[in-house]
Amino acid sequence: MKKPLKIGNAQGFWGDRPGAAAKLLQQQPNLDYITLDYLAEVSLSIMAAQREKDPKLGYARDFIDVIKSLPDSPCKIITNAGGLNPFGLAEALRAAGCTKKIGVVSGDDVLAIINADPDAYSNLDTGESINGKELATANAYLGAKPIVEALKKGAEIVITGRVADPSLTVAPCIYHYGWSFEDYEFIAGATVAGHLIECGTQVTGGILTDWLSVPNPAEIGFPFVEMFSDGTFIITKPESSGGVVNKQTVTEQLLYEIGDPDKYLSPDATVSFLSLQLKEEGKNRIHVSGAKGKAPPDTLKVSATYKEGWKAEGMLALCGPDTALKAERCGQIVFSRVAEAGFKLERFHVECLGPMLRMAAADHRMPALEAFTKEIAPLVTSGPQGTTGYFSGRPPIRPVFGYWPCLIEKDLVSPEIVCS
Amino acid sequence: MQLREIAYARSGDKGFSANIGVIAKSHEDYLWIREHLTAERVEAHFKLLSPKKTLRYELPNLDALNFVLIGVLGEGGSRSLRIDAQGKALGQALLEMEL
């Protein structure tokens, strides 16, 4: 019987601990693969802004530092850090001295296809049509297949753009065990494994309801799975790391960001969670079985974004009684002062979170946001007594990216794999 | 008594909607929430956030329920002006429900 395949995750999102991959590989040197997830909804919009300024950019530059930090190891790396420019990232890696075989998966960028026929791509949430909005990005969630092809071509590092997060884990399983793309029962198990580890420490004690009970949280370990040839697996973490893996951490992460648990959709399979069984097999080791799989949908999910003006937010601590009343009054003051400067803010939101007053504004006009950001500090001398917590200067004004989820027919999308 | 005495939760975003997983601490607690934690009750708990609709799913193999609150995140994501644009606090908010 083959030894189980060991796949770890060392990044749950762009902003996670930069030293995690090196630490994971040091604590668990026998890992076969490490996945790193860089792309949340807005990440591609941020990369679009970077690429506008410099066409050579549009990827997660910090991935290069992660690769540089790793000890010499046969462990393969699979990541979506390529963002909008996976070839750019591969080139930059080479230029930084990386001698590993690099596979680049592209073809997720479907902006031109959607722009050619915008009426065919209505919003999945609201049913609205695009109606003249100018899209900044549009990327289809590719599946495991192109990653498997890259691995077959000998890639030791696979760089993709937008890919379904669990597919980063499913691909090495298919490649290693020689599953066919129609082995939906096995792929279902690997998809569940990918879903569990894609958010890193969220399955090893992070954001646990009982978080105060998590041991050694400063050293919380990143997770890895031991995948068997039939799609069942054990989820665990390095022995020397902190945190915990138990039925509670695993069940909470199973339910994270899911809709109908009988139809978890991925480009690789439609998975049912309703027969999953969790069994404790030793300390911090949970055996997961029972995933059921069917064919995936004929469409791929697309996440598209469009520029929609600017936003800014400011916070102040209102120490003393009647904070809600004071917060409301401060909000009215700021709104009317910005209006007096000539800008009735298109969107304005005031929150009172305990003693914290938080105001956020959005508008298509940059000068409107500039006026808003200037009206927060004056509350320190004209606002309620006990107002404090104003340290960091005028808040930054950031671009707003509207989110446009839609579906695209699989046969319109052509993934490409280049290995060098 | 609050829901947190008998269950754990975890919430996350899906576009302008959010899901909240509710996991009973024991099988008996699951039988109770299966009977009493209805979609209507959960939707009412979040009425200030104006969800358009609430879907409810049962996972008897895990003693858990999953709620999807359609539209509860308003604009959601980058467009949202709320501090919790991704619904990460909704699980904690639901656990405060008085039983």
Side-chain angles (χ1 to χ4, degrees), chain A residues 4 54 100 153 177-178 198 253 266 274 312 323 333 358 378 386 390:
Chain A
D54 180 353
K100 300 242 176 187
K153 289 183 188 224
Y177 285 119
E198 72 185 56
Q253 185 55 18
S266 109
L274 298 186
T323 41
I333 291 169
R358 180 177 175 276
Y390 185 82

Side-chain angles (χ1 to χ4, degrees), chain A residues 105-289:
Chain A
V105 172
S106 59
D108 56 303
D109 188 337
V110 294
L111 188 57
I113 301 176
I114 294 187
N115 281 342
D117 187 13
D119 285 335
Y121 298 97
S122 46
N123 187 310
L124 256 185
D125 283 340
T126 62
E128 294 171 320
S129 83
I130 286 181
N131 210 11
K133 286 186 185 39
E134 197 193 315
L135 297 181
T137 66
N139 296 78
Y141 286 79
L142 299 182
K145 199 163 185 185
I147 302 174
V148 173
E149 300 306 322
L151 292 171
K152 282 185 174 163
K153 289 183 188 224
E156 297 166 281
I157 298 176
V158 181
I159 295 173
T160 77
R162 178 73 83 182
V163 150
D165 296 340
S167 301
L168 298 174
T169 296
V170 170
C173 297
I174 293 176
Y175 171 68
H176 179 79
Y177 285 119
W179 297 339
S180 100
F181 293 109
E182 283 82 42
D183 280 330
Y184 298 125
E185 294 291 272
F186 304 158
I187 291 174
T191 302
V192 171
H195 174 75
L196 284 175
I197 68 172
E198 72 185 56
C199 293
T201 55
Q202 280 187 193
V203 75
T204 57
I207 72 168
L208 193 62
T209 306
D210 265 354
W211 183 75
L212 288 172
S213 72
V214 173
N216 199 359
E219 297 297 315
I220 190 170
F222 275 72
F224 69 94
V225 293
E226 296 173 1
M227 176 67 59
F228 300 104
S229 59
D230 60 356
T232 64
F233 60 93
I234 290 179
I235 177 156
T236 183
K237 64 176 188 66
E239 252 181 75
S240 57
S241 65
V244 59
V245 175
N246 58 24
K247 280 188 179 177
Q248 193 194 336
T249 67
V250 175
T251 311
E252 282 197 21
Q253 185 55 18
L254 274 176
L255 272 86
Y256 182 69
E257 284 185 4
I258 64 165
D260 181 350
D262 199 30
K263 295 187 191 63
Y264 177 93
L265 299 178
S266 109
D268 308 318
T270 300
V271 181
S272 174
F273 285 20
L274 298 186
S275 313
L276 287 175
Q277 295 294 319
L278 308 182
K279 254 190 339 186
E280 216 175 84
E281 282 197 7
K283 192 166 182 221
N284 295 315
R285 291 172 68 80
I286 297 291
H287 182 261
V288 181
S289 59

Side-chain angles (χ1 to χ4, degrees), chain A residues 42 125 202 206-207 209-210 248 252-253 255-261 273-276 308 311 347 349 351 353 358 360 400-402, chain B residues 8-16 19 21-23 57-59 61-62 64-66 68 75 77-83 88 95:
Chain A
V42 276
D125 283 340
Q202 280 187 193
I207 72 168
T209 306
D210 265 354
Q248 193 194 336
E252 282 197 21
Q253 185 55 18
L255 272 86
Y256 182 69
E257 284 185 4
I258 64 165
D260 181 350
F273 285 20
L274 298 186
S275 313
L276 287 175
E308 236 208 336
K311 68 175 176 179
R347 291 194 293 137
H349 188 68
E351 284 165 324
L353 311 155
R358 180 177 175 276
V400 176
F401 288 100
Chain B
Y8 306 114
R10 184 166 293 196
S11 58
D13 62 328
K14 292 188 85 59
F16 76 172
N19 89 293
V22 180
I23 304 152
Y57 303 97
E58 293 179 3
L59 296 95
N61 55 317
L62 300 173
L65 302 173
N66 187 39
V68 178
E75 280 106 1
S78 164
R79 285 198 84 228
S80 176
L81 295 184
R82 295 191 203 158
I83 193 166
K88 292 186 187 295
L95 291 177

